[in-house]
Structure formats: structure tokens, C-alpha cells
Amino acid sequence: ALIEGHVRGRAYLFALSTALALAAGDTVFAHRLDEYLQAGRIDLQADRVTVDLDLTPGASLAESVVAAIDRDHDGVASRDELNAYVGGIVGQLELSLDGQPLEPQLTSSSFPAPEALRLGEGTIRMQISAAHRPLTFGRHQVFFSNRHLARQSVYLANALVPSSNRVSVTAQEGDVDQRSLQINYVLATAPASRPRKSAQLTSVAALAALWL
């Protein structure tokens, strides 16, 4: 059973980064049976950073992922088990703003049926958000890193076109394996002609499903 979560589908910010991601994707496809694809998309807002994270285990790794979720191996993924699995992933993410750590919090998630996972076709979707202090207008920098299952995974990381018209991304630079991404951006002042609007958080999805 699917637990629906909100996942943004906006295009990647830079054409060059997109081309690199697609090139990496070809490599991932060639090795998908024994690798865990983890794709992170980062949205910078005036008062928070939001990460959409998709995790797709290859068929050769899928059984170990199912076992990691269903810890008591009774064929049923309980609320506590699902919470523990996604909580463990969130705990392996790093987010910082201008060198100061942020506290990422899960805001929604969805799990595919275990059969889809075992076939290497199922994707676990998560949305993580980290609120931060009010920022002065001008230049800022966000750093993102994903340490989940580093030895078995292939990573993608990219900045999304910002949902806030106050935010303009000026550059992004990732490491070779794309586990980490540094994003430089500029925050503009709020327009004087209209009140400042705060971003809306996606409501947290209930993490419960029965795996039969």
C-alpha cells in the first residue's frame, strides 16, 4: 500500500548539472541491481530549506532494505518500524546554512509495496525540511550531505528552481560522487507593496502501512 507524500516535480536549476545527472543516471542504470540510487533535490526558501529525497534500491539490495524496514520479520511494516527507518535516514543527512548546522525534520514520506522494492522498481520518497533564522538580504550558502549507506549507493544532488521569488541561486558545486552539494544564493528584500508571506509546510504524512 502506498502512503502518499508530497513531492515537488520542478526541473533542475542548471542545464549543465542536469546533463551531468543524466549522464550519471546512465551509469546508475547499468549497475542498478547492486546499488542504491539516492536522489536529493534541494529547494531554498526565505525561511527554510526543503529536501525531496528519493531512494530506489536495486533488486539485488532490495531484500536487505525490506528486512531493515520490517525489523521483526513478520511481513508487516508497523508505524514504529516505518518511523525508525526514515528517522535513521534523516539522521544521516547534514544541512547547514552559512556554516551553521540546521535541524532537518521529516515532513512527509511514502513507501512502495514490498513487491515493487524486490523488483528494483519501488522508490521510497521523503520530504525533509529545516527551518532557519530570518536572514538579512544578500549572499548566503547552504551545504547538503547524505551519508546513508555510502558503500552501496549512487547519489544525485541538485538545486531546484526556488519556489520563492526572493531567492536566486547563483552557483552550485557538488563533490565527485554527488553525496554533497554546496549552493550559493542571494536573498532579495521583500517587496514593499505586499506583506511578506511565510512558506507553508507540508503536513506530515502518517507513516503506517501493512505489508502482506
Side-chain angles (χ1 to χ4, degrees):
L2 288 176
I3 308 169
E4 294 300 331
H6 176 70
V7 179
R8 292 184 176 88
R10 293 189 302 278
Y12 288 145
L13 181 61
F14 298 109
L16 177 59
S17 297
T18 304
L20 291 173
L22 291 173
D26 292 338
T27 302
V28 171
F29 182 80
H31 300 280
R32 64 178 297 182
L33 293 179
D34 60 357
E35 291 180 332
Y36 203 168
L37 173 60
Q38 302 189 46
R41 301 177 301 281
I42 297 93
D43 180 23
L44 306 177
Q45 301 170 40
D47 64 348
R48 69 187 62 254
V49 178
T50 300
V51 180
D52 291 324
L53 185 63
D54 293 351
L55 304 101
T56 308
S60 297
L61 296 177
E63 197 61 46
S64 64
V65 173
V66 172
I69 297 171
D70 181 19
R71 294 185 175 185
D72 58 8
H73 310 298
D74 64 352
V76 177
S78 68
R79 180 188 298 270
D80 288 344
E81 287 173 327
L82 293 171
N83 271 310
Y85 187 77
V86 295
I89 295 171
V90 173
Q92 294 179 302
L93 303 179
E94 179 184 350
L95 273 174
S96 65
L97 171 65
D98 297 336
Q100 298 300 313
L102 300 177
E103 297 184 9
Q105 302 290 329
L106 181 72
T107 57
S108 67
S109 68
S110 67
F111 285 79
E115 292 79 7
L117 280 177
R118 291 188 174 100
L119 291 173
E121 299 173 351
T123 297
I124 299 167
R125 303 185 190 279
M126 303 170 57
Q127 187 176 85
I128 300 105
S129 184
H132 56 69
R133 69 189 188 283
L135 298 177
T136 57
F137 68 89
R139 298 180 182 277
H140 297 281
Q141 186 179 88
V142 160
F143 177 79
F144 166 78
S145 181
N146 181 359
R147 302 187 303 276
H148 182 57
L149 292 180
R151 294 184 178 181
Q152 299 169 298
S153 298
V154 171
Y155 300 88
L156 298 174
N158 226 311
L160 291 170
V161 175
S163 58
S164 170
N165 57 13
R166 295 186 58 205
V167 178
S168 299
V169 174
T170 57
Q172 57 177 328
E173 181 178 355
D175 58 7
V176 174
D177 59 11
Q178 297 193 58
R179 285 178 57 195
S180 301
L181 182 67
Q182 178 179 292
I183 307 169
N184 298 328
Y185 70 100
V186 174
L187 181 67
T189 56
S193 59
R194 61 182 180 183
R196 182 175 178 178
K197 296 180 180 179
S198 59
Q200 294 181 347
L201 271 178
T202 301
S203 59
V204 178
L207 297 179
L210 295 180
W211 287 17
L212 303 178

